[in-house]
Amino acid sequence: MSTGTTASGITFKRTPDASFDVVKGFDYEPKYVDIDGLRMAYYDEGKGESGHTVLLMHGEPTWSYLYKDMIPPLLEAGHRVVAPDLIGFGRSDKPTERSSYTYELHVKWVKMFLEHMKLLNLTVFCQDWGGLITLRIAGDEPDRYERIVVSNTGLPVGTSPGPAFEKWQQTSQTTPVLDCGKLVASTAVNRKLEESDVAAFNAPFPDNDESYLAGARIFPMLVPISPDHPSVPKNIAAWKGLAAREKPLLSLWGMGDPLLGPAEPVLRSKVPGAKDQPHQTFSGGHFMQFEHGPELAKAINDWLK
């Protein structure tokens, strides 16, 4: 099946498996779960001999391939690693209408995924939209995550993070061709992406076909940076939960990120569980996983010891 419609009327497309033949160095077998009539892809590796399960949450416009350099050292440390592709990205189904994407739906879909997986003693690493979703859930459900690692993300409550983000919003809506591979490459400060990496980030969106790219196009406009955004009250409520959170929170931040580099102190200062943790900053850009993947994995492994 390459196209379909859910019971709630969401029309979607499914990226052909052959599109991922260009992916190199990410030889993990995808698994799938039905979420509201949409197929959500995820990777589940390792047996968790360490007693820890590490959930890796990507953002926009990437997919689990972003963690290709982090997964091997996490597995070597004995952890179970679970990495889902958000609906609209990676190997997951892609609703074709921009109106089918909302912040609240993505929070709901990830909650459904977590319920299905019955994950326990969970450490989550979240970046970009992975954090917008994860931090919201953590604020809503204090016991969902035992530990949180944050990297270049946040939980907005109606204010803009600044001109760089506003420029990205405008670019995302006006650029004639949204080349996701080149977009990731352009944010890297310390690493030049190989052509195979660019191809892998473009693989979910064959020929840059806009019908596959609806999620990637609309995600920047879904961030609640205006006071009238419908998710602002729920995010404010979630912040109250985060402000009372004593469970550990670790910040591993890329200071070369023009979008969110300056936001590094926010979570550390507002979440009690961040106190006295071994936070680290790096010189990398927005997609830290691709510039400092092994170092990030080492920091997580050392922390979990």
Side-chain angles (χ1 to χ4, degrees), residues 23-26 63-68 85 196-197 200-201 290:
V23 177
K24 310 297 181 185
F26 193 78
W63 59 291
S64 295
Y65 179 79
L66 187 65
Y67 289 99
K68 69 185 287 282
D85 289 344
S196 59
D197 297 322
F201 285 119
F290 232 71

Side-chain angles (χ1 to χ4, degrees), residues 195-264:
E195 289 185 9
S196 59
D197 297 322
V198 174
F201 285 119
N202 281 327
F205 316 112
D207 301 317
N208 291 320
D209 184 335
E210 285 290 329
S211 62
Y212 289 97
L213 280 160
R217 282 283 192 186
I218 198 61
F219 255 48
M221 309 307 296
L222 301 181
V223 180
I225 64 170
S226 62
D228 59 349
H229 191 290
S231 292
V232 166
K234 293 182 179 180
N235 278 10
I236 290 174
W239 263 112
K240 293 179 180 178
L242 290 172
R245 185 181 173 85
E246 299 286 347
K247 294 182 177 181
L249 181 142
L250 177 67
S251 173
L252 303 176
W253 213 267
M255 302 305 290
D257 178 1
L259 297 179
L260 292 172
E264 189 270 336

